[in-house]
Amino acid sequence: DRRSTETASADWRSRVMASLLPMYVRVKRKNTTIFLTLEKSDNFGGVKQKLSSILDLPATSIKLFTSTDASAGDLQDAASVDNFVENDAILYMILKKDGSETWEEIEVTEAPLPHKA
């Protein structure tokens, strides 16, 4: 029927438009939050490159996670952002320790909530 065809067409248009919109993610480490604009087609290697230029560190010194549980594994460079995170997601970043092949632990300090008077 015509109504279901129009609904299907509108659903398709909204999915296409959503796929074209950029994504926003927050990358947290210790007491720092970095806000990034990403394309859904970006991969995590590209995300690390963006962070690398902001932090003035090699991308190979950065690991990203979707949770504070490091045992879940870090996000692989070739993996597509769209397959692992939603818009306004939080990623957790750790860095390689200076002069070492070891990595720091995931540590995020949440900002205290403002006091109500």
Side-chain angles (χ1 to χ4, degrees), residues 16-90:
V16 168
M17 291 305 293
S19 71
L20 299 175
L21 295 174
M23 294 177 67
Y24 301 95
V25 297
R26 293 171 279 167
V27 181
K28 293 188 171 200
R29 175 183 172 260
K30 297 189 179 185
N31 62 349
T32 301
T33 301
I34 299 170
F35 295 85
L36 294 177
T37 303
L38 306 174
E39 299 298 324
K40 292 183 179 199
S41 60
D42 286 347
N43 63 32
F44 289 105
V47 175
K48 288 180 186 180
Q49 287 295 333
K50 287 182 181 191
L51 292 166
S52 169
S53 65
I54 293 168
L55 301 170
D56 196 27
L57 292 169
T60 55
S61 294
I62 300 170
K63 282 188 179 182
L64 298 171
F65 299 83
T66 56
S67 78
T68 56
D69 180 8
S71 67
D74 62 311
L75 296 163
Q76 299 302 304
D77 288 356
S80 173
V81 167
D82 193 32
N83 292 332
F84 288 90
V85 296
E86 306 264 331
N87 188 43
D88 200 32
I90 297 173

